[in-house]
Amino acid sequence: EDQVTQSPEALRLQEGESSSLNCSYTVSGLRGLFWYRQDPGKGPEFLFTLYSAGEEKEKERLKATLTKKESFLHITAPKPEDSATYLCAVQGGGNKLTFGTGTQLKVEL
Amino acid sequence: EPEVTQTPSHQVTQMGQEVILRCVPISNHLYFYWYRQILGQKVEFLVSFYNNEISEKSEIFDDQFSVERPDGSNFTLKIRSTKLEDSAMYFCASSKQETQYFGPGTRLLVL
């Protein structure tokens, strides 16, 4: 059974204070690892897809990396508008996504 | 930019009633999904749908649930005889390949 564990559960940063979110996973035959952003009461918003170990993707202040056991979402110089819950999900055999519980990020001025 | 849309945004129903949640996937996508998120919990897979049939379903997706693509644009989730524990956000998603794009969700409250 596919499993995803995210840490920390919650993270409070000052504006400009860079940090990383962790996603550890176990899956039989990784087809893709996905990062989503979720604002309160909204649907997950797609950020990145990573397919193989060593791959990296960047978008504005966010950078996602992947190893054979975990993925990191690096946030460089965050702003208050980056405050959200960040979800990690894996896709193994089949099309379903298995999600972690997310990291709730709060960026303060 | 194309988006997945869902209606209604909120639905309140009495226990035992049937509800139909509606979704319009992105137009050139071929795979459709339903997920749910109980308040404070993780997003959970319910069912995937391809080529007019269910391709995969979870243990949650029992005989109480059904899905349908009644026409070329809509994708529906029917929940029969709703229970209190069906209260959750229900998300529709669609994909062309691996990456799934989610709708804004329907908040279902069963009283």
Side-chain angles (χ1 to χ4, degrees):
Chain A
E1 186 179 329
D2 302 343
Q3 289 193 339
V4 176
T5 302
Q6 292 188 246
S7 61
E9 288 184 11
L11 182 62
R12 180 174 280 183
L13 299 174
Q14 296 296 312
E15 185 176 12
E17 180 187 0
S18 301
S19 189
S20 297
L21 313 183
N22 177 264
C23 170
S24 299
Y25 65 91
T26 54
V27 64
S28 51
L30 181 72
R31 291 181 57 200
L33 184 139
F34 306 85
W35 283 97
Y36 289 87
R37 169 191 170 128
Q38 187 176 31
D39 291 300
K42 303 288 178 65
E45 177 189 341
F46 171 71
L47 294 173
F48 302 109
T49 304
L50 301 167
Y51 293 103
S52 58
E55 191 174 359
E56 299 182 352
K57 294 263 178 83
E58 274 188 80
K59 179 181 176 180
E60 296 180 357
R61 295 177 293 282
L62 300 177
K63 178 179 174 181
T65 62
L66 181 65
T67 73
K68 288 186 178 178
K69 294 183 179 179
E70 56 192 353
S71 177
F72 292 93
L73 185 66
H74 307 280
I75 303 177
T76 302
K79 298 182 178 182
E81 53 261 44
D82 295 321
S83 298
T85 296
Y86 290 85
L87 304 176
C88 174
V90 295
Q91 187 178 57
N95 290 326
K96 73 172 186 182
L97 296 182
T98 299
F99 281 85
T101 51
T103 293
Q104 193 171 2
L105 174 66
K106 172 84 172 169
V107 182
E108 299 171 332
L109 290 169
Chain B
E1 188 172 320
E3 293 180 335
V4 176
T5 60
Q6 292 185 242
T7 55
S9 57
H10 293 79
Q11 173 104 40
V12 181
T13 190
Q14 296 292 320
M15 193 168 56
Q17 295 298 303
E18 175 181 287
V19 295
I20 297 176
L21 310 184
R22 290 182 169 81
C23 168
V24 179
I26 295 172
S27 62
N28 62 349
H29 285 186
L30 301 176
Y31 298 86
F32 314 118
Y33 312 86
W34 284 101
Y35 291 81
R36 79 173 184 190
Q37 186 175 32
I38 295 170
L39 188 63
Q41 297 187 22
K42 63 174 71 173
V43 177
E44 299 176 288
F45 170 78
L46 293 177
V47 65
S48 62
F49 192 85
Y50 171 73
N51 201 24
N52 282 319
E53 60 182 28
I54 291 173
S55 52
E56 191 174 359
K57 61 182 181 178
S58 71
E59 291 178 353
I60 303 168
F61 193 88
D62 59 19
D63 292 343
Q64 187 193 1
F65 296 89
S66 62
V67 290
E68 193 177 36
R69 187 145 163 88
D71 53 43
S73 58
N74 290 284
F75 180 51
T76 63
L77 174 68
K78 183 187 290 186
I79 309 175
R80 288 179 281 274
S81 189
T82 49
K83 307 170 193 168
L84 296 176
E85 54 264 38
D86 295 327
S87 295
M89 282 285 281
Y90 287 81
F91 296 111
C92 174
S94 69
S95 70
K96 213 166 19 175
Q97 293 177 340
E98 288 85 11
T99 299
Q100 297 179 22
Y101 296 88
F102 285 75
T106 293
R107 184 177 297 279
L108 176 65
L109 179 60
V110 182
L111 302 177

